[in-house]
């Protein structure tokens, strides 16, 4: 069976089992290894991508359900999504990344959260991160980086002024 969808702005056609998890198509067929496969059960958030702009776990999304939809991975977001790029820069500034397995999924989840929640406080950011598990680092500094992005957005020259 054939499924066609947009992947990072380009047409992607997949001929194969429609139940193939999106994360396997990305990593094994397209060599897009930025999307991580960790738990494969929808708990850790490492495989988060955007489908029609909504963060979803790619391990639970069968390719056959993507017909006609638009998918963005961390590779695409790093190129075209200003919010994701700002978040990546803040993570680097705060020097919070360790093994890095969790971060692509965090960027995909939190970039959308930042777009939709310009007035979020620290607790709201923490709540938004419940689906992103990090085994290496303390979460507080990750929250610091997100708060930096929010402050930037409100500052003179930021995206909201
Ligand atoms: S690998 Fe998909 S949520 Fe963990
Ligand atoms: S930095 Fe290693 S899992 Fe988060």
């Amino acid at each position: 069976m054939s499924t066609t969808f947009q992947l990072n702005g380009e047409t992607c056609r997949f001929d194969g089992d429609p139940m193939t998890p999106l994360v396997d198509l990305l990593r094994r067929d397209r060599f897009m290894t930025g999307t991580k496969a960790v738990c494969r059960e929808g708990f850790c958030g490492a495989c988060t991508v955007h489908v029609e702009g909504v963060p979803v776990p790619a391990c639970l999304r069968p390719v056959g359900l993507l017909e006609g939809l638009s998918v963005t991975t961390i590779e695409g977001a790093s190129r075209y999504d200003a919010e994701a790029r700002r978040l990546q820069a803040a993570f680097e500034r705060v020097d919070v990344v360790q093994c890095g397995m969790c971060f692509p999924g965090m960027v995909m989840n939190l970039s959308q959260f930042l777009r939709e929640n310009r007035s979020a406080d620290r607790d709201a950011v923490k709540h938004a991160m419940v689906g992103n598990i990090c085994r290496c680092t303390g979460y507080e500094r990750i929250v610091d980086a997100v708060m930096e992005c929010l402050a930037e957005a409100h500052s003179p020259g930021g995206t909201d002024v």
Side-chain angles (χ1 to χ4, degrees), residues 43-142:
F43 293 120
C44 74
C47 66
T48 304
V49 298
H50 292 172
V51 175
E52 295 290 304
V54 177
V56 299
C59 64
L60 296 185
R61 186 59 57 112
V63 175
L65 294 181
L66 296 172
E67 180 64 38
L69 301 183
S70 169
V71 174
T72 305
T73 67
I74 187 68
E75 288 87 353
S78 299
R79 260 177 270 150
Y80 307 123
D81 182 339
E83 210 68 61
R85 292 164 66 104
R86 237 151 36 92
L87 203 46
Q88 287 173 312
F91 284 149
E92 280 176 30
R93 264 197 316 277
V94 175
D95 193 21
V96 71
V97 181
Q98 292 191 24
C99 83
M101 287 294 279
C102 65
F103 274 91
M106 282 203 192
V107 169
M108 296 308 287
N109 180 31
L110 292 170
S111 58
Q112 192 58 25
F113 172 79
L114 284 171
R115 249 188 297 278
E116 295 171 351
N117 297 277
R118 287 298 198 214
S119 303
D121 61 13
R122 222 176 155 83
D123 283 344
V125 171
K126 287 180 183 175
H127 186 72
M129 289 172 54
V130 291
N132 293 106
I133 295 173
C134 177
R135 295 166 194 225
C136 302
T137 193
Y139 290 95
E140 287 298 328
R141 287 168 62 211
I142 299 173

